[in-house]
Amino acid sequence: MESILEIKNLTKKYDDFKLNNISFKLDRGYIMGFIGPNGAGKSTTIKLIMNLLKRDSGEIKVFGLDNIKHEKEIKQRIGFIYDRNYFYDEITLKNMKKIISNFYTNWNDNQFYKYMEIFNLKENKKIKELSKGMQMKFSLALALSHDAELIMMDEPTSGIDPIFRNEILDILMEFIQDEKKSIFFSTHITTDLEKIADYITFINDGSLVFSKPKDEILDSYRIVKGGRDLLTEELKKKFIGIKNSDYGFEGLVSRIDDIEDEYREKVLIERPTLDDIMLYTVRRGEKNA
């Protein structure tokens, strides 16, 4: 079975930024988290996948199809959830649904109204009367109501309360249970990805840092904490990044085996979060707290 999303050597140049030779793939039945700091190139990558921007070079295949030559067919099979409201403020949810549903040949009204009930959305409400969380619920109901095989999510949980975020995560996990569908989830809230993602793709300054199974990433990196008297120049070279304070140091290593046994007995070693890995990778070198 072909990958549901495959990107090879993707490049897009601007005057002050370059998405540089990005490659990764997402197979069916999995959730991929897409992370990186502001300005890393996440939104550019998503726009290129959706053919909202033209790539300079490289390949993008969705469902095994070139995303430019087969754009209409591909978009029939994708559910997209934006980070902001692109609906008409003065229109009701019922009429907004009528507009959106006309674009999809596989639209399923029963599925749509199932999610409307789950999310406690009233179809006579106007878009402008909905909170950000309710607008996101409406976007999700639309995205899940036309038999989409791939859900593309661009910062969907930003500014949403934790209760609804968990509700979304449960629905996304249910969505991929048949192992034929996948989710591409771009977010700054890495704790959400630690709960549900199978793979993490991390880009920084337009370049790929890694695209690997989440558990492999979290198992390979370690946070090391200790007194500043232990931090020799030789030891510093082992770290991706180090943060100093009056009380000691804290740093990230990608291979704990690089830290000799004599040091391991004197320091505290912890499993990092995705936030830790992203922070120390972006802020490489030595910093003072």
Side-chain angles (χ1 to χ4, degrees):
M1 187 179 291
E2 84 281 349
S3 297
I4 207 162
L5 173 63
E6 187 169 10
I7 292 176
K8 292 182 180 178
N9 307 120
L10 181 62
T11 298
K12 176 68 178 178
K13 298 177 183 177
Y14 295 97
D15 291 340
D16 57 352
F17 176 78
K18 180 181 179 182
L19 190 69
N20 188 23
N21 206 35
I22 298 291
S23 298
F24 61 85
K25 67 176 183 176
L26 172 60
D27 291 335
R28 290 181 183 272
Y30 296 100
I31 298 175
M32 175 174 282
F34 192 43
I35 65 173
N38 289 333
K42 299 192 303 300
S43 292
T44 296
T45 303
I46 290 171
K47 288 176 181 177
L48 288 166
I49 293 170
M50 298 299 293
N51 200 31
L52 300 175
L53 291 174
K54 299 300 181 184
R55 58 187 183 258
D56 293 330
S57 60
E59 295 181 23
I60 301 173
K61 289 187 176 181
V62 189
F63 316 117
L65 305 171
D66 181 271
N67 76 318
I68 296 176
K69 294 178 183 178
H70 300 274
E71 179 179 7
K72 289 185 179 179
E73 178 183 345
I74 287 170
K75 287 184 175 178
Q76 281 288 322
R77 299 163 68 184
I78 290 180
F80 196 91
I81 301 174
Y82 294 89
D83 62 340
R84 65 192 70 180
N85 172 26
Y86 286 94
F87 303 126
Y88 300 114
D89 282 346
E90 296 295 333
I91 203 168
T92 63
L93 275 60
K94 180 179 181 179
N95 288 330
M96 193 72 239
K97 185 272 294 186
K98 287 181 180 178
I99 294 171
I100 299 294
S101 63
N102 285 330
F103 290 101
Y104 296 104
T105 56
N106 289 331
W107 181 264
N108 186 328
D109 250 13
N110 290 333
Q111 189 83 336
F112 173 76
Y113 283 109
K114 182 188 86 169
Y115 284 112
M116 288 285 283
E117 184 174 350
I118 290 172
F119 295 148
N120 195 28
L121 293 168
K122 308 302 181 186
E123 63 178 2
N124 61 340
K125 286 275 190 180
K126 291 184 177 181
I127 297 294
K128 69 177 183 180
E129 296 174 323
L130 302 183
S131 66
K132 182 172 182 180
M134 298 298 275
Q135 288 179 11
M136 189 55 60
K137 289 182 180 183
F138 183 58
S139 294
L140 190 57
L142 293 170
L144 296 175
S145 296
H146 58 88
D147 199 26
E149 297 168 57
L150 173 63
I151 300 293
M152 298 284 296
M153 308 181 77
D154 187 7
E155 297 290 346
T157 54
S158 177
I160 305 299
D161 69 78
I163 294 174
F164 176 50
R165 289 216 326 268
N166 282 323
E167 194 176 346
I168 286 181
L169 301 185
D170 288 343
I171 288 169
L172 297 180
M173 290 294 290
E174 181 183 340
F175 175 78
I176 63 164
Q177 288 309 302
D178 65 0
E179 299 184 355
K180 296 178 182 178
K181 305 181 182 74
S182 297
I183 296 167
F184 187 77
F185 191 163
S186 174
T187 182
H188 283 97
I189 306 175
T190 56
T191 52
D192 287 349
L193 300 180
E194 288 177 5
K195 293 177 182 176
I196 67 165
D198 301 294
Y199 292 86
I200 301 293
T201 296
F202 175 18
I203 62 172
N204 182 39
D205 196 24
S207 296
L208 182 72
V209 179
F210 55 66
S211 186
K212 297 179 180 179
K214 177 194 65 185
D215 291 340
E216 179 183 323
I217 294 163
L218 294 175
D219 287 343
S220 61
Y221 288 87
R222 285 294 180 266
I223 292 288
V224 179
K225 299 177 181 180
R228 293 188 67 169
D229 58 308
L230 299 174
L231 197 57
T232 64
E233 290 302 317
E234 188 63 28
L235 186 59
K236 289 179 183 178
K237 296 176 184 177
K238 313 283 188 182
F239 288 88
I240 293 170
I242 302 171
K243 182 171 62 178
N244 288 314
S245 71
D246 293 339
Y247 306 102
F249 75 91
E250 177 182 310
L252 181 74
V253 293
S254 60
R255 283 174 44 86
I256 193 59
D257 290 345
D258 288 343
I259 306 297
E260 290 81 357
D261 289 341
E262 62 179 289
Y263 286 110
R264 283 193 238 173
E265 295 175 359
K266 301 174 183 178
V267 297
L268 179 64
I269 299 172
E270 298 176 347
R271 198 169 189 255
T273 63
L274 289 173
D275 263 353
D276 291 328
I277 295 169
M278 187 164 64
L279 173 66
Y280 281 105
T281 302
V282 171
R283 296 172 54 190
R284 281 183 175 271
E286 190 173 1
K287 306 289 182 183
N288 292 317

